[in-house]
Amino acid sequence: MDESESQERHHDKMEKMMAHTKELEELLDQIEKNTVQANCFTYNLVAIRTNPDLTNAMKHLEDAFLRCKEQMEKKQEELVME
């Protein structure tokens, strides 16, 4: 019986270790994603600060997008009303 209990404990330890390994892998994946996002954010900040025209162009694109979105919503409402 001692040998089977020992094997059972060993099996339980292995299951726990595998669960911890999976959790660590998931945490590492999340850290990698966060690192990529932080790098992109930093790059964007540097690009905007070194080129003020880029800020103006982005604002112009955002305004155009919002106008387009508003027109699309109006057209959709008109189609629904018909």
Side-chain angles (χ1 to χ4, degrees):
M1 259 324 198
D2 277 342
E3 189 174 322
S4 67
E5 287 177 8
S6 174
Q7 286 178 350
E8 203 172 300
R9 278 188 294 219
H10 178 71
H11 181 71
D12 289 343
K13 285 181 182 178
M14 290 298 292
E15 283 182 349
K16 287 179 183 177
M17 189 172 76
M18 293 299 287
H20 289 305
T21 301
K22 184 173 177 149
E23 289 175 10
L24 288 173
E25 287 176 355
E26 290 172 359
L27 287 172
L28 182 60
D29 285 343
Q30 189 60 46
I31 289 170
E32 288 174 354
K33 289 176 186 176
N34 290 345
T35 301
V36 169
Q37 288 176 343
N39 284 334
C40 290
F41 180 71
T42 302
Y43 176 81
N44 289 339
L45 280 177
V46 170
I48 289 171
R49 288 185 181 209
T50 57
N51 186 357
D53 291 336
L54 183 59
T55 304
N56 295 335
M58 292 297 291
K59 181 65 177 157
H60 176 73
L61 285 172
E62 182 182 16
D63 291 343
F65 168 76
L66 292 174
R67 285 192 306 272
C68 181
K69 182 179 172 185
E70 183 179 321
Q71 289 297 322
M72 293 297 290
E73 288 171 352
K74 284 181 185 177
K75 291 287 183 186
Q76 185 179 11
E77 287 176 14
E78 289 174 7
L79 288 172
V80 169
M81 296 297 260
E82 290 178 359

